Amino acid sequence: MNIKTSTIDELNTLAEDIRQKILDTVSKNGGHLSSTMGATDLIVAMHKVFDVEKDPFIFDVSHQAYAHKLITGRWDEFSTLRQFDGLCGYTKPKESKYDYYVAGHSSTSISLAVGAAKAIALKGEDRVPVAFIGDGSMSAGMVYEALNELGDRKYPVVIILNDNEMSIAKPIGAISKLLSQTMAGSFYQKFKGKVEKVLEHLPESASYMAKRFEESFKLITPGILFEEMGIEYIGPVDGHNIESLIETMEVAKALGKPVIIHAQTTKGKGYEIAEGTKEHWHGVSAFDLKTGVAPKKSGAKAATAIFSETLVALADEDEKVVGVTAAMPTGTGLSAAIEKYPERFWDVAIAEQHAVTSMGPLAKEGFKPFCTIYSTFLQRGFDQVIHDIALMDLGVAFALDRAGIVGEDGETHQGAFDISYLRGIPNMTLMAPSNESSMIACMKFAKEYNHPCAFRYPRGPFMAENNESPAYELGKSVLLQEGDDILFVGYGNGVGRAQQTAKILSSLRQAQGTVTKPVEVAILDLRFVKPLDEKMLINLSKKYKKWYIFSDSAKRGGVGSALLECLSEHKIQDVALTSFEYDDAFITHGNTKLVEKSLGLLPEQLAKRIM
């Protein structure tokens, strides 16, 4: 259908069809649900008023953009959402010319819109950047840096604020609703513009009184914050009334200056089971559409669950143990500690920089902070790790969840780079557990360690069996087994991958008849990549001349690089080192096993490469 010529009734039907399509797909594939369902009407109105062929449509995080994908020619492909070789769960310009920018991390949209507006102004074109941002993203400081410049420069930018949890403002009854509707109308905006021109010519005292009256009027609504920054404010408006949204967006577009439209929506709109502020419906695995129930998962305990249980146990034993996360209490497993000790564990919203820096003084004051952030999100706090923690040599422990390939979230979320970007920081210690017992021992070490440290662990369970783990000692590795001719060096979840590869390799060699007895591969659990166990490595280099490195991390600056540096420093030149870390490329989305297979990293593939 041609959305530009569609009637309001047709647009409402389209929105219902889109929500049903999202439900059908996400219930089978998993994905983001409640936020993108709630954003559907806004996105339909956005496509009606603005021209996606020329206006930059910039989505914040962009997990809310499923409706945009469906409107822009991807209806038939939508069943492949988040599948390997299928549609990405976020906007992706390589996927469609209508996706202006990649966006998997939050709070970038307004900065991008300002940049786009500058380019449009320099080119002298008639285009309007439209930034679509969720209220959760408004908690990050980058948003206000962008608003500060936008309010000063006055570029024509329309910001659509999808307030789906009333965290920006709560309506104050019928009066607020009436005022909000009035402020969203063209009459009020025109009237206000004329009043402002009149005020310029009034005596100072009269102008002052008029301005004070207008400000007191606006205080009933939440617009004064934005207007004080120089951004025109319209709202709150009903984010599910497409006709009203179209009128409001047309007003905003015609103003020719920065405008923020504050729209209130209901998460999960159209699927009663998920409607409202139910965190677990934000991102979901496959589920039964009728009941909303996901199939129960069996198998080994997830690393996140082990972290959560151990952290609570440490907090039970020591009141000095504290912790923080940035808007991911459930995802990082910190929710149990927050619930039990709300005065000692905090969720600071989408503010990784603040989360990192705020833990520094706690360490300085004698507490033991665990800063619990996904590997991919700690990238956002890199300067703070250096400047506010490591430079002061403060005992903050960084728990890096989702290290390695995370599956369907893809390029923006893969936990590939933490070793590379943390290893060069002075005072920083890096370690990684390999199983449940090792995780507990690692966290006990981190709790007593009075210097900056970081430990990484995977999404889901560890690959290694849960054998008993000795206590951690700074910079000490553990030789799990001796071998005949080659050495497997495993780091973190790489230990399990090394063990599985070793078993397959032995079977393959026996099957080919190249050996008469099982091949024993030496396996080293590195534990620490900084500092390295140089004494152990030097000794192993005398016996084993072929080393294979297993670590779920980027190859450049990673574990293999660290070992090569060590060998070079000790002038050891007769060791051939092969790293099975990730090559220098961003890793696509899809089922983790399929992604690993495409990279040649499954144990059976690695065994054949070693043969």
Side-chain angles (χ1 to χ4, degrees):
M1 66 183 292
N2 184 346
I3 203 166
K4 294 295 184 184
T5 59
S6 297
T7 65
I8 298 299
D9 286 341
E10 289 171 334
L11 294 177
N12 282 320
T13 300
L14 173 62
E16 291 174 8
D17 292 343
I18 288 172
R19 276 192 278 266
Q20 190 59 51
K21 183 73 170 179
I22 292 171
L23 273 173
D24 291 341
T25 302
V26 175
S27 66
K28 293 182 178 71
N29 298 4
H32 291 93
L33 184 70
S34 58
S35 56
T36 199
M37 291 278 286
T40 297
D41 297 311
L42 279 169
I43 292 172
V44 168
M46 183 173 158
H47 274 271
K48 172 74 170 177
V49 174
F50 298 95
D51 187 353
V52 73
E53 295 284 349
K54 65 184 184 71
D55 295 330
F57 281 27
I58 304 170
F59 291 90
D60 211 284
V61 185
S62 77
H63 61 270
Q64 301 180 88
Y66 290 2
H68 166 76
K69 286 177 179 278
L70 289 165
I71 290 170
T72 52
R74 285 168 273 185
W75 191 279
D76 293 337
E77 293 177 86
F78 198 69
S79 60
T80 69
L81 182 73
R82 291 164 55 90
Q83 303 297 292
F84 185 69
D85 280 341
L87 292 182
C88 179
Y90 301 94
T91 50
K92 189 175 183 179
K94 289 182 180 179
E95 180 181 293
S96 170
K97 68 177 183 178
Y98 301 115
D99 290 359
Y100 185 77
Y101 226 84
V102 171
H105 290 181
S106 82
S107 313
T108 62
S109 61
I110 301 177
S111 292
L112 293 172
V114 172
K118 289 176 179 177
I120 290 167
L122 289 169
K123 293 164 76 173
E125 295 176 345
D126 180 23
R127 299 159 62 203
V128 181
V130 187
F132 190 102
I133 183 168
D135 57 339
S137 297
M138 297 294 288
S139 61
M142 186 175 176
V143 165
Y144 300 94
E145 294 174 17
L147 287 172
N148 185 55
E149 183 185 16
L150 181 59
D152 179 55
R153 300 284 185 175
K154 305 296 184 186
Y155 294 114
V157 171
V158 175
I159 301 164
I160 299 172
L161 171 57
N162 177 24
D163 180 1
N164 53 26
E165 292 180 303
M166 294 191 292
S167 61
I168 300 294
K170 190 173 182 178
I172 307 170
I175 295 177
S176 175
K177 185 176 181 180
L178 173 63
L179 292 173
S180 298
Q181 291 173 343
T182 302
M183 293 179 76
S186 58
F187 172 79
Y188 173 79
Q189 294 298 327
K190 290 176 182 177
F191 173 76
K192 181 182 174 187
K194 290 179 180 179
V195 169
E196 287 174 348
K197 288 182 180 180
V198 171
L199 291 178
E200 292 174 4
H201 303 287
L202 289 177
E204 187 174 336
S205 58
S207 176
Y208 172 79
M209 291 300 294
K211 284 181 181 292
R212 290 292 294 172
F213 174 78
E214 184 192 14
E215 287 174 3
S216 64
F217 179 75
K218 285 192 299 183
L219 278 173
I220 305 174
T221 69
I224 193 164
L225 168 65
F226 301 109
E227 299 230 358
E228 287 298 317
M229 297 183 78
I231 313 292
E232 196 74 26
Y233 172 87
I234 302 176
V237 296
D238 182 354
H240 299 299
N241 185 326
I242 293 178
E243 183 174 16
S244 175
L245 288 171
I246 290 171
E247 293 173 358
T248 302
M249 289 183 193
E250 286 176 343
V251 169
K253 181 180 179 181
L255 288 175
K257 56 184 175 180
V259 185
I260 188 162
I261 298 171
H262 178 182
Q264 291 180 323
T265 60
T266 300
K267 272 191 165 188
K269 177 70 174 178
Y271 186 52
E272 188 175 350
I273 298 173
E275 285 187 355
T277 57
K278 301 168 184 174
E279 184 184 353
H280 67 278
W281 281 104
H282 174 75
V284 297
S285 57
F287 63 95
D288 182 86
L289 198 53
K290 292 182 179 179
T291 64
V293 177
K296 289 186 177 180
K297 294 182 180 179
S298 59
K301 189 185 297 183
T304 302
I306 300 166
F307 168 80
S308 179
E309 293 170 5
T310 307
L311 184 63
V312 171
L314 292 175
D316 289 341
E317 296 169 3
D318 188 349
E319 63 182 12
K320 294 292 186 181
V321 173
V322 297
V324 70
T325 189
M328 301 299 293
T330 300
T332 61
L334 200 70
S335 54
I338 292 173
E339 184 177 348
K340 190 168 186 179
Y341 299 110
E343 299 304 317
R344 289 163 52 192
F345 293 88
W346 306 276
D347 175 8
V348 297
I350 302 174
E352 290 84 359
Q353 294 174 318
H354 166 59
V356 172
T357 297
S358 68
M359 291 298 100
L362 281 155
K364 182 178 173 63
E365 294 286 344
F367 291 88
K368 183 64 205 186
F370 281 81
C371 191
T372 311
I373 297 177
Y374 289 4
S375 167
T376 182
F377 294 145
L378 189 62
Q379 295 163 192
R380 296 161 62 92
F382 180 64
D383 179 63
Q384 287 66 32
V385 173
I386 295 176
H387 185 273
D388 303 324
I389 305 301
L391 191 62
M392 294 276 288
D393 195 20
L394 296 169
V396 177
F398 293 93
L400 305 186
D401 201 330
R402 305 305 202 264
I405 293 172
V406 300
E408 288 79 5
D409 280 335
E411 294 98 325
T412 59
H413 280 58
Q414 310 289 18
F417 309 113
D418 55 271
I419 297 172
S420 303
Y421 68 71
L422 292 175
R423 195 164 66 84
I425 302 175
N427 296 328
M428 179 62 72
T429 292
L430 301 181
M431 52 190 171
S434 58
N435 61 17
E436 180 172 355
S437 175
S438 175
M439 178 78 140
I440 295 169
C442 175
M443 291 180 66
K444 287 181 177 179
F445 173 87
K447 187 242 177 189
E448 300 299 331
Y449 191 60
N450 291 321
H451 306 277
C453 68
F455 58 97
R456 70 193 317 260
Y457 47 96
R459 181 182 188 180
F462 288 105
M463 293 182 70
E465 294 181 5
N466 189 32
N467 298 319
E468 194 61 34
S469 175
Y472 271 57
E473 297 179 54
L474 179 63
K476 295 298 181 183
S477 59
V478 175
L479 188 62
L480 299 178
Q481 66 183 48
E482 294 274 5
D484 296 328
D485 58 348
I486 61 177
L487 173 68
F488 284 1
V489 180
Y491 184 65
N493 206 37
V495 172
R497 196 178 302 276
Q499 291 173 328
Q500 292 182 21
T501 303
K503 290 179 183 178
I504 296 170
L505 178 63
S506 181
S507 298
L508 287 174
R509 287 185 172 180
Q510 283 186 288
Q512 289 186 356
T514 56
V515 294
T516 57
K517 64 185 180 76
V519 176
E520 290 295 330
V521 174
I523 300 178
L524 179 70
D525 180 356
L526 192 61
R527 287 195 166 195
F528 290 85
V529 74
K530 185 183 181 185
L532 286 170
D533 189 348
E534 295 190 4
K535 183 178 179 181
M536 172 72 83
L537 294 171
I538 292 169
N539 286 337
L540 291 173
S541 72
K542 296 171 183 176
K543 180 178 179 180
Y544 305 101
K545 302 304 179 182
K546 291 182 179 179
W547 292 11
Y548 295 91
I549 314 305
F550 297 77
S551 176
D552 297 343
S553 53
K555 187 177 294 182
R556 291 185 182 271
V559 177
S561 293
L563 295 180
L564 283 171
E565 291 164 13
C566 175
L567 294 173
S568 176
E569 287 171 6
H570 291 280
K571 296 181 169 47
I572 299 170
Q573 300 178 347
D574 59 347
V575 170
L577 188 149
T578 301
S579 172
F580 294 135
E581 295 170 278
Y582 309 144
D583 288 331
D584 189 26
F586 290 106
I587 300 170
T588 190
H589 67 275
N591 174 273
T592 298
K593 282 283 171 66
L594 293 178
V595 172
E596 289 180 344
K597 183 179 180 181
S598 74
L599 299 174
L601 295 178
L602 294 178
E604 52 267 32
Q605 294 174 306
L606 296 176
K608 289 177 181 178
R609 288 169 66 180
I610 296 168
M611 284 287 291

